């Protein structure tokens, strides 16, 4: 994260549709320069929250401010600062990809040579060079996603809000997407990305927000959620040795700090009570000092899916 200052602040948002509560008292800050993952199951309230952040819908109550501008009172400024990438795009039947982008560039207020240059830049950044003459309405999922990205980038947003951008992408398109996210972060753009699949966001986000039934159930740094450093607890370590593996089994079984959980060919998985880098480094030294030739010592961090399920369970049992 480049800067801890919040670029966007959400305060106590509420939104219902015909009596169905979609968002209920949601508050959080988005730090400038960060990549935030917004995680929740289908219907949890992600799209509704993001539409209000992007200024394309308004809350029943509560506030969104971007760089100090209020999304309701200063809607024009906020729309210039926020790029919105919805999960589906409506293309006009007769427009080519280039005409489509040009049309949106005009809507953003870009004129003349500046407009032409900006369209050229987003075409290049989003990898649309080969598609300029193609009808915007008939693109594959991956191509359409690149067009949506290009469209959202036209006004040079400070923060880009993306609704399920990785859904349905093939592996190559997902890799391209990750690279685009990294490149935008490098340019100083803050990114806010939703998904209901944690593994889609796991590698690219530096902080995560979990939403369930319209309420934020957890927020924090990715490492903190996984139990790295900030949240001590037991950790399972995969250990491999180049000498006789029986010696490793004996060592683990004879040491009160360790519990041997699985015997492997050439190694073992074992649980250690303190999940901290310093303590684990000390344990590695102890193993080596004990005469074991350790060729692999790999702490296995919990998958984010597991953490998410735990967070939801804890939250739901607390509210019973
Ligand atoms: P998904 O992952 O399925 O897109 P989501 O987390 O984005 O889900 P929302 O689309 O924000 O969830 O929906 C939250 C709740 O609000 C759901 O119960 C949904 O049915 C309801 N809802 C959202 N938009 C509308 C609308 N325009 N009219 C009526 N109900 C709506």
């Amino acid at each position: 994260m480049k800067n801890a200052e919040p670029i966007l602040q959400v305060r106590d948002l509420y939104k219902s549709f015909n009596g169905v509560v979609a968002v209920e008292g949601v508050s959080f800050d988005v730090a400038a320069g960060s990549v935030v993952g917004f995680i929740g199951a289908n219907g949890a309230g992600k799209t509704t929250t993001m539409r209000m952040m992007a200024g394309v819908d308004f809350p029943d109550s509560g506030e969104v401010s971007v760089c100090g501008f209020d999304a309701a009172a200063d809607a024009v400024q906020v729309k210039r600062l926020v790029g919105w990438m919805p999960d589906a795009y409506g293309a006009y039947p007769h427009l080519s990809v280039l005409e489509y982008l040009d049309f949106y560039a005009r809507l953003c207020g870009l004129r003349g040579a500046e407009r032409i240059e900006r369209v050229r830049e987003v075409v290049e950044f989003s990898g649309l060079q080969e598609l300029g003459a193609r009808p915007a309405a008939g693109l594959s999922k991956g191509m359409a996603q690149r067009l949506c990205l290009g469209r959202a980038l036209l006004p040079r947003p400070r923060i880009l809000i993306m609704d399920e951008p990785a859904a349905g992408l093939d592996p190559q398109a997902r890799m391209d997407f990750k690279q685009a996210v990294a490149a935008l972060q490098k340019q100083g753009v803050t990114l806010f990305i939703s998904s209901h699949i944690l593994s889609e966001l796991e590698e690219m986000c530096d902080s995560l927000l979990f939403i369930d039934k319209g309420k934020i159930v957890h927020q924090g740094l990715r490492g903190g959620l996984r139990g790295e450093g900030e949240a001590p607890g037991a950790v399972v370590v995969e250990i491999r040795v180049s000498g006789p593996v029986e010696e490793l089994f004996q060592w683990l079984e004879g040491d009160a700090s360790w519990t041997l959980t699985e015997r492997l060919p050439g190694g073992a998985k074992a649980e250690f009570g303190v999940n901290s880098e310093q303590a684990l480094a000390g344990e590695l030294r102890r193993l080596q000092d004990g005469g074991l030739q350790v060729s692999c010592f790999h702490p296995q961090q919990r998958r984010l899916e597991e953490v998410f399920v735990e967070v939801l369970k804890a939250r739901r049992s607390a509210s019973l």
Side-chain angles (χ1 to χ4, degrees):
M1 238 180 291
K2 293 182 175 165
N3 190 333
E5 283 296 305
I7 185 170
L8 188 146
Q9 292 180 301
V10 169
R11 288 292 173 270
D12 217 13
L13 285 192
Y14 283 83
K15 179 82 181 174
S16 300
F17 298 97
N18 303 319
V20 176
V21 179
V23 169
E24 201 176 353
V26 162
S27 298
F28 55 83
D29 288 353
V30 176
S34 61
V35 181
V36 180
F38 192 34
I39 317 287
N42 292 124
K46 302 182 296 295
T47 303
T48 308
T49 304
M50 288 190 293
R51 283 172 56 81
M52 293 188 281
M53 291 164 68
V56 293
D57 201 355
F58 294 98
D60 298 336
S61 63
E63 285 162 17
V64 173
S65 71
V66 184
C67 297
F69 292 108
D70 183 89
D74 311 308
V76 175
Q77 283 93 331
V78 167
K79 284 230 172 69
R80 285 201 188 115
L81 293 163
V82 180
W84 165 236
M85 192 172 146
D87 61 348
Y89 80 121
Y92 301 96
H94 304 297
L95 293 186
S96 69
V97 163
L98 267 184
E99 288 164 341
Y100 180 86
L101 288 172
D102 190 69
F103 171 72
Y104 272 95
R106 285 170 200 266
L107 288 186
C108 294
L110 296 166
R111 298 283 177 263
E114 191 194 3
R115 190 183 76 241
I116 293 166
E117 177 58 12
R118 187 61 188 150
V119 169
R120 193 196 61 72
E121 282 170 2
V122 301
V123 162
E124 193 182 318
F125 181 85
S126 310
L128 294 165
Q129 296 94 327
E130 311 288 310
L131 304 174
R134 291 272 293 269
L139 300 177
S140 71
K141 177 80 192 164
M143 293 171 188
Q145 196 251 21
R146 282 191 268 152
L147 179 58
C148 274
L149 175 64
R151 185 183 92 181
L153 291 176
L154 282 168
R156 293 191 175 85
R158 297 272 311 276
I159 173 164
L160 182 60
I161 299 175
M162 307 164 111
D163 194 4
E164 301 268 357
L169 296 183
D170 67 29
Q172 179 61 51
R174 280 177 62 170
M175 254 157 68
D176 294 345
F177 172 66
K178 273 183 202 168
Q179 278 171 7
V181 166
L184 286 166
Q185 190 183 25
K186 222 169 161 187
Q187 289 171 23
V189 178
T190 303
L191 292 114
F192 191 91
I193 309 171
S194 79
S195 179
H196 59 278
I197 304 170
L198 282 163
S199 50
E200 280 182 352
L201 302 184
E202 198 165 354
E203 291 160 37
M204 53 185 128
C205 296
D206 37 36
S207 77
L208 293 166
L209 274 173
F210 291 176
I211 185 168
D212 183 45
K213 297 184 177 159
K215 293 181 179 169
I216 298 296
V217 291
H218 199 98
Q219 54 187 307
L221 298 179
R222 188 182 68 170
L225 281 168
R226 281 156 155 271
E228 291 162 6
E230 291 171 36
V235 60
V236 173
V237 184
E238 182 181 333
I239 307 166
R240 295 195 180 259
V241 288
S242 44
V245 71
E246 288 303 327
E247 288 179 17
L248 174 67
F249 298 154
Q250 279 166 18
W251 193 95
L252 291 168
E253 282 171 338
D255 194 292
S257 320
W258 287 88
T259 309
L260 177 60
T261 55
E262 193 180 341
R263 292 168 187 241
L264 305 167
K269 282 188 185 172
E271 193 176 283
F272 181 66
V274 185
N275 185 8
S276 95
E277 275 182 22
Q278 209 183 358
L280 287 169
E283 289 307 300
L284 175 58
R285 269 195 306 275
R286 268 200 331 119
L287 279 160
Q288 289 164 331
D289 292 347
L292 291 156
Q293 290 167 29
V294 181
S295 56
C296 163
F297 188 83
H298 180 56
Q300 317 220 301
Q301 301 300 347
R302 292 181 304 164
R303 288 180 56 74
L304 281 172
E305 262 85 357
E306 293 163 6
V307 180
F308 185 36
V309 169
E310 278 170 26
V311 165
L312 288 187
K313 264 195 209 152
R315 167 83 190 211
R316 284 174 183 168
S317 62
S319 62
L320 283 178

